[in-house]
Amino acid sequence: MDDQETGASKDRAAVTGDEVKVDLIAFVVAVNDGEPCVLTIGQADTLPSGPFALEHRSLQSGLRGWVEQQTGHPLGYIEQLYTFADRDRVGAERRQRAISISYLALTRMEKASGSPKCGWRSWYEYFPWEDHRSGTPPVLLDVLRPRLIEWANSVDDAAMRRERRQRAAMAFGFDDRHWNEELTLQRYELVYEAGLVQEAGSGRDTTRASLVPSKPMVADHRRIVATGIARLRSKIKYRPVVFELMPQSFTLLQLQRTVEALAGRLINKPNFRRLIEQQELVEETGETSVDTGGRPARLYRFRHAVLDETAIVGTKLPVARG
């Protein structure tokens, strides 16, 4: 192809507006005072993010740079979460393919300092139906269930009605079905499909009164958070990533409460402690804590050697059903 043809091709691309925009988005998690929190900017409705640029050495270095610039918070543990490239994402109306590469980042409580540029919000503000530590959330039975039933019954086709009701029951544990804490993304996508969250309102016949009470986010950032929650809830069961969220020394109760905060459900205390001992995940520091409100509690630290010992078989840390 000669220069003239190349120039013509570029002109056609410019006219049609076809281009790809790549954003790097961070889902940064800390556990503060027993609450799993997400790092946000703006009106607590936006995840730290920025475009991938030519000067970035790698995707991760680009993400780290944007997060530190926007929040003043350096990232530690990080892993790629998911790439979102649906054709109907933001930018599609300009014939622009918007691709978002999202990352999951974990940080310890003492490093999660505040900044005027950002804030930490409990992820249960965005997903109030996900916190079952005090039993089934009222929003699940009083709001979500009747509105999902109404949505399922809103179609004329009987097979589709059954399919919708079954999906709702399986995702949310209706009709005496088992609640699976790992289905966070499936639940959010179902609520979105039913038009029960603000993000689904564009181009739909929805009113504020029909929405489930929850905090919205810009674009599809809440979907990214749901993806990250599901990933983390699954991963804490087979890899010791929970210790990335713990201080250098901690009590076993603090560790249990952190796992419960992430899972959104309570854990049987004897079973949890027995599992920790069997897996040899922690070791005593020789010190005690007097901040427990009762007898001094032994302090522990993560036994880093476990990372090498379990590189092949994995580390089991299941969330008990008790």
Side-chain angles (χ1 to χ4, degrees):
M1 182 180 294
D2 59 27
D3 292 341
Q4 183 176 2
E5 290 175 323
T6 303
S9 298
K10 290 181 179 178
D11 289 342
R12 285 194 295 271
V15 171
T16 60
D18 291 332
E19 58 182 275
V20 175
K21 177 176 181 287
V22 179
D23 282 326
L24 307 173
I25 304 180
F27 171 49
V28 186
V29 177
V31 176
N32 298 326
D33 297 325
E35 284 298 311
C37 295
V38 54
L39 182 62
T40 61
I41 58 177
Q43 302 299 313
D45 60 357
T46 306
L47 297 175
S49 63
F52 180 58
L54 291 176
E55 61 266 22
H56 291 148
R57 180 174 54 83
S58 65
L59 294 171
Q60 283 201 17
S61 67
L63 180 79
R64 292 178 186 276
W66 281 119
V67 173
E68 190 160 0
Q69 176 181 326
Q70 294 174 357
T71 70
H73 189 84
L75 294 182
Y77 175 92
I78 184 175
E79 67 174 70
Q80 189 166 327
L81 184 60
Y82 195 78
T83 298
F84 297 85
D86 300 355
R87 292 191 64 180
D88 58 352
R89 298 187 72 251
V90 176
E93 67 277 4
R94 298 188 301 273
R95 295 184 61 82
Q96 178 188 67
R97 176 59 64 89
I99 298 176
S100 293
I101 304 174
S102 59
Y103 285 82
L104 167 65
L106 306 179
T107 188
R108 293 190 176 97
M109 185 185 300
E110 67 265 24
K111 295 182 180 179
S113 56
S115 166
K117 300 180 181 179
C118 62
W120 293 90
R121 302 295 287 263
S122 170
W123 72 34
Y124 293 123
E125 293 183 34
Y126 307 97
F127 304 93
W129 53 85
E130 292 290 334
D131 189 1
H132 288 238
R133 288 174 293 176
S134 299
T136 304
V139 69
L140 188 57
L141 297 179
D142 299 340
V143 181
L144 262 174
R145 178 173 180 137
R147 292 182 186 175
L148 284 172
I149 292 175
E150 181 181 0
W151 167 72
N153 293 334
S154 65
V155 293
D156 296 329
D157 184 75
M160 185 174 292
R161 287 198 301 270
R162 286 194 303 271
E163 187 263 346
R164 285 186 172 186
R165 287 196 295 265
Q166 184 178 42
R167 287 169 57 203
M170 293 178 64
F172 287 93
F174 298 150
D175 304 331
D176 297 322
R177 292 176 184 263
H178 167 67
W179 170 266
N180 185 343
E181 66 274 358
E182 295 180 27
L183 299 182
T184 307
L185 178 59
Q186 289 91 325
R187 284 188 283 270
Y188 175 70
E189 290 186 333
L190 189 61
V191 171
Y192 183 98
E193 183 182 344
L196 300 179
V197 289
Q198 184 171 316
E199 291 91 328
S202 179
R204 298 196 186 191
D205 183 19
T206 58
T207 64
R208 184 165 296 275
S210 68
L211 302 179
V212 175
S214 59
K215 186 171 181 58
M217 301 189 81
V218 301
D220 56 0
H221 284 204
R222 188 151 47 154
R223 183 186 178 198
I224 294 173
V225 173
T227 304
I229 294 174
R231 166 76 66 84
L232 191 52
R233 285 180 168 183
S234 172
K235 196 154 192 174
I236 60 175
K237 298 178 183 179
Y238 65 90
R239 293 296 294 168
V241 293
V242 65
F243 294 101
E244 298 289 344
L245 300 166
M246 301 300 297
Q248 293 296 331
S249 60
F250 48 85
T251 67
L252 291 183
L253 182 60
Q254 289 173 328
L255 178 60
Q256 178 180 335
R257 292 290 183 255
T258 298
V259 175
E260 290 175 339
L262 299 174
R265 61 189 312 155
L266 298 181
I267 300 174
N268 180 275
K269 182 176 179 180
N271 291 346
F272 178 78
R273 298 201 172 196
R274 182 164 52 251
L275 179 66
I276 294 297
E277 293 174 358
Q278 291 173 349
Q279 295 290 317
E280 298 182 331
L281 296 173
V282 299
E283 59 188 7
E284 293 187 29
T285 66
E287 300 176 346
T288 59
S289 171
V290 295
D291 297 331
T292 58
R295 294 186 307 174
R298 295 177 182 178
L299 287 172
Y300 294 81
R301 57 175 167 251
F302 175 54
R303 198 172 66 84
H304 288 276
V306 76
L307 294 176
D308 296 327
E309 297 167 0
T310 61
I312 299 178
V313 299
T315 297
K316 301 295 183 182
L317 192 62
V319 177
R321 303 301 174 188

